[in-house]
Amino acid sequence: MSEGRIHYRIQGESGSPVVLLHGAGIDNGAWIWRWLAPELAATHRVYVPDHPKHGQSWPWRARADQRGQEEVLARLLDHWELERATLVGLSLGSTTAIGYTLRHPDRVRSLVLTSCGGIQDRVPRHGLSYLALRTPLSWSVSRAMSPEALRRWVRREVRFADYVPEEDIDALADLAGEELERKRSHGGHMFSDWNRYEIGPRRMRVDFRGRLSEITCPVLLVHGELDEAVPLRYPREAADIAPQGRLEVIEGAGHFVPVERPREYSHVVRAFLDRDTGSAAAER
């Protein structure tokens, strides 16, 4: 693309297309979809991009805010020649998926919105978050955070299930440290453009709750019971508003559900996709 480089992986030989959209900050396509992508690839054609200024999608010379994210997704679906696809998002990826669906409803078969962003008026400690992200303080925090400190944060704060092997936790911690080093090497910020530009001084600049009734495709919201970034009341409300919306709550999980509870998450996502595929076949 003229703005820079977008990296993506394609897995699976056949089946309906599924696009996996990761979250912000330490996340990238290899991090949050570590388990789901290869599982879905057994029955689907799976597309896993790195968002601008994440993973290997560097350099990127444009702002990757909400509109920027939606524009990149639109161009990727055109590049992949996908007439319709299921979009599966995590946090920032869910917000991007909602915005894209509202602009291009005929291109989206169904939505899986995990730890969904874009459905709340304020984030925790909103005023402090806004000031921290829009002042030089955020750059100081970004520069002060070391890769090793970030690795320790992943091991300490991400709510991994007891069955997640220690070597996988170590691998994810290492990937988070590498993500920080990659951002720093390109002069990037630890926090995403979306965080920095869509958190307004008093409320969020992106809050799609007033438009969720326009989304008529099947919508599954998957949310961690203990998610502190997006409290559970918001996806409950969103599932009630979307005409074909429903909510699955994963017990014991926080914000990073796909890696915290990979078995439970895969089960609910695959069941939803199987049901959606079966409904589409019956309609034909």
Side-chain angles (χ1 to χ4, degrees):
M1 297 184 182
S2 60
E3 299 90 340
R5 180 176 188 265
I6 295 295
H7 173 266
Y8 61 84
R9 294 177 290 121
I10 301 176
Q11 298 176 248
E13 298 300 322
S14 61
S16 60
V18 179
V19 180
L20 304 182
L21 304 171
H22 66 77
I26 63 171
D27 204 359
N28 55 51
W31 204 89
I32 204 70
W33 308 125
R34 179 179 180 86
W35 288 288
L36 185 67
E39 286 200 30
L40 292 185
T43 52
H44 296 270
R45 185 81 159 155
V46 181
Y47 299 79
V48 189
D50 286 337
H51 297 316
K53 304 182 184 179
H54 291 77
Q56 298 182 55
S57 291
W58 292 94
W60 191 258
R61 293 174 288 274
R63 182 183 292 183
D65 55 7
Q66 179 66 28
R67 180 50 64 92
Q69 291 283 146
E70 292 175 20
E71 294 286 350
V72 169
L73 178 57
R75 291 157 69 184
L76 282 173
L77 264 65
D78 288 343
H79 174 72
W80 295 326
E81 299 182 343
L82 300 181
E83 293 184 7
R84 294 181 76 214
T86 291
L87 306 181
V88 179
L90 183 285
S91 194
L92 164 67
S94 292
T95 314
T96 302
I98 294 174
Y100 177 84
T101 302
L102 289 168
R103 294 171 63 191
H104 307 279
D106 57 319
R107 303 287 297 274
V108 180
R109 180 192 300 276
S110 58
L111 288 171
V112 178
L113 307 175
T114 314
S115 308
C116 187
I119 57 171
Q120 61 197 111
D121 54 345
R122 294 170 64 84
V123 297
R125 299 176 294 278
H126 188 96
L128 180 60
S129 296
Y130 169 77
L131 290 174
L133 288 166
R134 295 304 300 273
T135 65
L137 175 62
S138 67
W139 283 102
S140 299
V141 171
S142 181
R143 294 190 185 100
M145 175 68 77
S146 70
E148 185 51 42
L150 192 54
R151 293 183 182 98
R152 290 194 299 270
W153 182 90
V154 169
R155 295 187 183 97
R156 184 180 65 249
E157 299 296 335
V158 179
R159 301 176 184 273
F160 294 107
D162 291 341
Y163 61 77
V164 177
E166 195 66 31
E167 56 266 29
D168 283 316
I169 295 175
D170 288 341
L172 287 168
D174 288 343
L175 284 172
E178 291 168 12
E179 178 66 18
L180 178 61
E181 291 177 316
R182 189 180 295 113
K183 282 178 165 57
R184 191 166 289 165
S185 70
H186 289 279
H189 201 286
M190 185 173 70
F191 301 100
S192 71
D193 285 2
W194 195 96
N195 294 125
R196 295 172 59 225
Y197 293 107
E198 304 300 352
I199 297 177
R202 290 184 171 82
R203 57 183 48 84
M204 299 298 296
R205 293 194 171 98
V206 177
D207 181 356
F208 286 122
R209 286 176 297 173
R211 299 195 61 193
L212 291 178
S213 61
E214 301 173 34
I215 298 179
T216 57
C217 69
V219 178
L220 173 66
L221 290 109
V222 186
H223 216 79
E225 173 194 20
L226 305 177
D227 191 335
E228 296 178 356
V230 184
L232 192 51
R233 67 180 182 274
Y234 292 111
R236 288 193 193 281
E237 180 184 2
D240 288 339
I241 296 171
Q244 293 198 65
R246 67 183 183 89
L247 172 66
E248 290 280 355
V249 179
I250 306 298
E251 293 184 5
H255 193 65
F256 301 100
V257 183
V259 293
E260 292 176 330
R261 296 294 187 278
R263 293 176 186 168
E264 295 87 339
Y265 182 71
S266 175
H267 175 75
V268 298
V269 171
R270 288 175 67 89
F272 174 76
L273 294 181
D274 290 345
R275 188 179 302 115
D276 180 51
T277 302
S279 298
E283 290 175 4
R284 290 195 297 269

